[in-house]
Amino acid sequence: MKLPDMLIPGPLKKPQKPGGGDGAGPVERLKETPADLVGWVDERTGGASFLTGMLYRKVPKGTNWFYTLGSATLFAFTVQAVTGVFLAMFYTPSTTQAYGSIVHLTNDVFLGEFVRGMHKWGASVMIILIWLHMARTFVFGAYKYPRELNWVIGVVLLILTMVMGFTGYLLPFDQRSFWATVVGVNITGTGPLVGPYLADFLRGGAEFEQTTLARFYAIHMLLVPGLIIALIGAHLYLVVKLGTTAPPWLEPKRTKATVKEERV
C-alpha cells in the first residue's frame, strides 16, 4: 500500500527525475502547497534520520521468519501495555475489592472480558515469544562480538518479562492467585544471600495483605514496564547500530584480503 505524500517526511521522499515536475522552484511550491505537518515535526526533531536507519538498513542474505521473533515480542508487549491501561481503569488494588472489580470488569463492562482475555493470554504469548527470540539469538550466534551488550540487555528483558508475569498473577486476588504467589515468594526466599530479603520486600510484612498487593501492583504497573521500555529503546538502538547476523549455515563471502590472510 502506498502512503500519501503528505505522510512521508521530505528526506524519505523519492527525488524527482531531472527535468521532471512542473518547473516551479522549491519556494514557489512551498507557497502553493498546504503545510506539511510531518515535515514540520521532522524539521524540529530530526526523526527522518532515525526512520531512515530503522527502515532502510541492510539485512544479511538468508534472512527469514526467525528474525521476526523480536518484532513479534515487541508487538506482544505493546498489546499488554494498551490492554493493561484499560484494565487499570476498572481495577481496585485492595484485598477486599480487587476480586469484585475483576468480576465487574469481566461481566458488566463492555468488551471487558475480551480485553482481559487479551491481557491474560497475551502474557503467555509474550513469554513464549521472548524465549523463542533468545533461543534464535543463541543458536544463530548473535550474542558474540560485537553484540555482547545487546545479549545482556536481552537477558535482563527476559527476566523482567518473567517478573511482570509473576507480579500480575496476584492482582485478581482469588484463591488460586493468592496461594500460587505464596508458593512463589517462599521459593524466592530460599535463594542464596538476597533471597530472604527479596521475599520480605515482596511481602511487605509478615503476612500477605494489603501492602503485598499494593507492592505487586506498583511493580507490575510502574516499575517493570518503565524498565522494559527503556531497555527496549537501548536494544533497538544497538540492533540498528550493529546490524543483524547472517544465519550460521551461510558461509561468509571470501574476499582477496581474507584469502591472503588464510595463506599467511
Side-chain angles (χ1 to χ4, degrees), residues 10 34 43 49 105 107 115 130 173 179 196 246 260 264:
E43 185 178 357
S49 58
L105 171 68
N107 298 332
V115 175
I130 196 170
F173 215 74
W179 292 110
K260 184 176 181 181
V264 174

Side-chain angles (χ1 to χ4, degrees), residues 158-225:
L158 173 62
I159 296 173
L160 290 176
T161 302
M162 303 296 291
V163 172
M164 179 82 79
F166 177 67
T167 54
Y169 197 78
L170 177 66
L171 299 186
F173 215 74
D174 53 6
Q175 289 291 326
R176 180 172 58 180
S177 63
F178 177 85
W179 292 110
T181 306
V182 169
V183 173
V185 173
N186 289 339
I187 293 175
T188 302
T190 62
L193 300 178
V194 299
Y197 299 100
L198 182 58
D200 291 340
F201 169 76
L202 292 174
R203 277 195 305 267
E207 302 292 337
F208 285 79
E209 49 188 7
Q210 177 61 41
T211 305
T212 309
L213 182 60
R215 290 195 177 187
F216 273 66
Y217 182 69
I219 294 172
H220 184 77
M221 282 293 298
L222 300 174
L223 179 60
V224 176

Side-chain angles (χ1 to χ4, degrees), residues 5-8 10 13 16 21-22 24-40:
D5 290 340
M6 67 175 298
L7 296 180
I8 303 177
K13 290 181 180 179
Q16 294 186 356
D22 52 3
V27 178
E28 288 74 12
R29 287 197 297 269
L30 182 62
K31 292 180 180 179
E32 296 176 358
T33 56
D36 188 346
L37 178 60
V38 177
W40 184 86

Side-chain angles (χ1 to χ4, degrees), residues 64-81:
N64 49 48
W65 286 101
F66 289 110
Y67 288 82
T68 63
L69 290 171
S71 301
T73 307
L74 177 60
F75 176 77
F77 173 73
T78 304
V79 172
Q80 291 300 99

Side-chain angles (χ1 to χ4, degrees), residues 100 102-113:
I102 293 295
V103 173
H104 168 68
L105 171 68
T106 304
N107 298 332
D108 303 328
V109 177
F110 177 68
L111 292 179
E113 185 177 9

Side-chain angles (χ1 to χ4, degrees), residues 135-157:
R136 197 280 303 174
T137 303
F138 179 79
V139 172
F140 282 27
Y143 60 90
K144 300 177 182 179
Y145 175 85
R147 301 176 179 85
E148 302 95 332
L149 179 58
N150 221 14
W151 169 259
V152 173
I153 293 176
V155 172
V156 176
L157 284 171

